[in-house]
Amino acid sequence: MTEPRPTPLRKLLTLPHAESLPLSIRAKALVFSDPQSERLLSQVEQVAASEATVLLIGETGTGKELVARHIHACSGRTGPFVAVNCGAFAESLVDAELFGHEAGAFTGASHARAGWFEAAHGGTLFLDEIGDMPFALQVKLLRVLQERQVVRLGARQPVPVDVRLVAATNVDLAKAVQAGRFRADLFYRLHVATLPLPPLRERPGDILPLAQHFAEIYRKKLGATALEMSPAVERALLAYEWPGNIRELENVVHYAVIVSQNGRIEREDLRLPHGLSAASSEAEAPPAPEDTLGQLRHSVRLLLAQQHPQLFETIEQLVVSTAFEHCGDNQVRTARELGISRNVLRAQLKRFGLLGERFLVPVD
């Protein structure tokens, strides 16, 4: 069997010094090889050229911070990129962290300190998990966005700031507004340029390039001279749903590189949780989706990732020929089962060379 050629990296984004960062739930690399990812990249770079506030929506581990950094890099802004996780601070500290404080503003505030907005002056402020921001502080954030100035805790004079805001969330903010957990006016202020980041399972063309990227990183760390993935490994990586997205893929590849032998990652080196056993044989199929349509969708993803030529026509011919055979070459029954007219079916049968002379009779 001929091994598939490595998929070229058309665009790769990584966090600064990603190879030395500790393990986290963040995605440390992002590629744009899948057609859906390429469209996203085009949208990102179009939005970056403006000064609009950007809202990134996506599951944990889909690369929201990487996209935010790329927006900053393409924006032409000369100030710094500052990333803040709104869910990482206690509610009592978020105010001082974002907007700064004066000396004596609260117990322990022995000296004045600029907040993250001032730190990002002239650049971009990335607020991750903005849906976790306390309700009371949402009013203050809205005021900063509207007036372009901050007031430190314990101060009366505002400080002008020139900051481009990029916010991110993995929750549905519209539902949070309905539930009374997020201010509607702030939601609409953020909802200027919204970019949904699809999960990894919906962009299968990125899976193998990312896996190869992570494998190369950890190969170098181990000092190995060469490393390749078997075809069975590539099939398993494409078949898996990746609920943990890019972060989970990196963990799986990291472990596989560690336990691999003879410069080759084999199927048994993969440790895929959630019901997909790494000890299963090549002949075993991945866990079946809950329904038949889900299984079909799974197969289409694999074909898309393999860049199958004339995929739509191939699938269309497969559906028509399989249904025709299933119905015993009965056109009326086949048309009824497919939910199309007999005339449409006959045109498809002729198109695919499935209509022999014995079927060429006038249509009522």
Side-chain angles (χ1 to χ4, degrees):
M1 179 184 294
T2 303
E3 294 188 9
R5 291 176 295 178
T7 306
L9 295 184
R10 300 175 189 172
K11 186 73 177 182
L12 170 67
L13 300 180
T14 61
L15 291 177
H17 312 294
E19 65 283 353
S20 60
L21 292 175
L23 294 177
S24 70
I25 61 173
R26 294 188 300 171
K28 293 192 291 188
L30 190 62
V31 299
F32 299 90
S33 293
D34 189 89
Q36 190 170 184
S37 297
E38 289 184 326
R39 288 192 293 272
L40 172 63
L41 179 61
S42 177
Q43 293 173 341
V44 166
E45 293 178 346
Q46 281 183 311
V47 167
S50 71
E51 286 292 315
T53 299
V54 180
L55 179 62
L56 305 176
I57 303 174
E59 297 177 6
T60 300
T62 51
K64 296 188 288 294
E65 181 176 339
L66 289 164
V67 171
R69 288 180 178 274
H70 192 56
I71 289 173
H72 173 69
C74 297
S75 68
R77 298 184 68 85
T78 57
F81 176 88
V82 178
V84 180
N85 188 324
C86 296
F89 298 100
E91 184 171 342
S92 58
L93 296 177
V94 177
D95 197 339
E97 290 291 335
L98 280 177
F99 309 114
H101 62 81
E102 295 293 337
F106 54 87
T107 302
S110 58
H111 59 276
R113 180 182 175 186
W116 293 118
F117 267 96
E118 290 181 68
H121 183 73
T124 302
L125 178 63
F126 173 56
L127 294 183
D128 198 6
E129 298 185 22
I130 196 168
D132 294 338
M133 176 173 284
F135 197 84
L137 288 184
Q138 294 175 24
V139 182
K140 197 167 184 178
L141 174 60
L142 179 63
R143 187 179 303 119
V144 171
L145 294 178
Q146 292 174 339
E147 299 176 4
R148 298 291 177 178
Q149 57 186 17
V150 297
V151 178
R152 296 182 181 181
L153 284 176
R156 294 184 178 181
Q157 293 299 319
V159 178
V161 289
D162 172 22
V163 173
R164 199 293 181 62
L165 182 69
V166 178
T169 180
N170 58 5
V171 300
D172 189 329
L173 289 184
K175 290 183 178 178
V177 170
Q178 293 176 353
R181 297 191 306 271
F182 202 85
R183 293 184 59 92
D185 47 7
L186 178 58
F187 171 71
Y188 292 120
R189 186 65 180 80
L190 296 173
H191 207 265
V192 178
T194 303
L195 296 174
L197 272 63
L200 188 57
R201 59 184 173 274
E202 293 181 6
R203 38 187 168 118
D206 293 348
I207 293 175
L208 293 184
L210 277 169
Q212 292 158 0
H213 168 72
F214 291 132
E216 180 66 12
I217 288 178
Y218 291 112
R219 177 196 69 79
K220 291 179 179 179
K221 285 188 175 184
L222 291 176
T225 55
L227 187 67
E228 63 177 352
M229 297 181 185
S230 71
V233 166
E234 295 186 343
R235 288 195 296 270
L237 294 176
L238 290 171
Y240 186 55
E241 288 289 320
W242 301 110
N245 293 297
I246 298 171
R247 175 68 259 180
E248 183 182 16
L249 175 62
E250 180 182 354
N251 286 340
V252 168
V253 172
H254 186 187
Y255 176 81
V257 171
I258 292 173
V259 300
S260 63
Q261 298 179 358
N262 303 319
R264 186 178 172 92
I265 299 177
E266 298 291 353
R267 179 65 181 84
E268 56 269 20
D269 297 328
L270 296 181
R271 184 178 56 182
L272 295 174
H274 305 285
L276 187 55
S277 171
S280 61
S281 66
E282 280 190 33
E284 282 187 292
E290 294 180 0
D291 52 47
T292 306
L293 287 177
Q295 191 172 13
L296 177 60
R297 182 183 64 182
H298 211 71
S299 300
V300 172
R301 285 178 181 162
L302 295 179
L303 292 170
L304 287 169
Q306 296 166 4
Q307 298 182 337
H308 192 286
Q310 297 180 316
L311 180 57
F312 183 81
E313 184 172 352
T314 300
I315 293 177
E316 194 174 24
Q317 181 176 356
L318 180 63
V319 171
V320 172
S321 61
T322 302
F324 196 43
E325 180 183 356
H326 173 74
C327 295
D329 295 345
N330 185 304
Q331 295 179 36
V332 175
R333 182 184 168 195
T334 302
R336 183 172 63 248
E337 294 293 335
L338 291 177
I340 59 178
S341 71
R342 189 180 174 191
N343 283 343
V344 171
L345 174 66
R346 284 175 61 82
Q348 295 288 64
L349 292 173
K350 288 181 180 180
R351 175 185 170 197
F352 298 127
L354 300 172
L355 199 58
E357 291 184 2
R358 61 193 179 96
F359 298 116
L360 296 180
V361 294
V363 179
D364 296 335

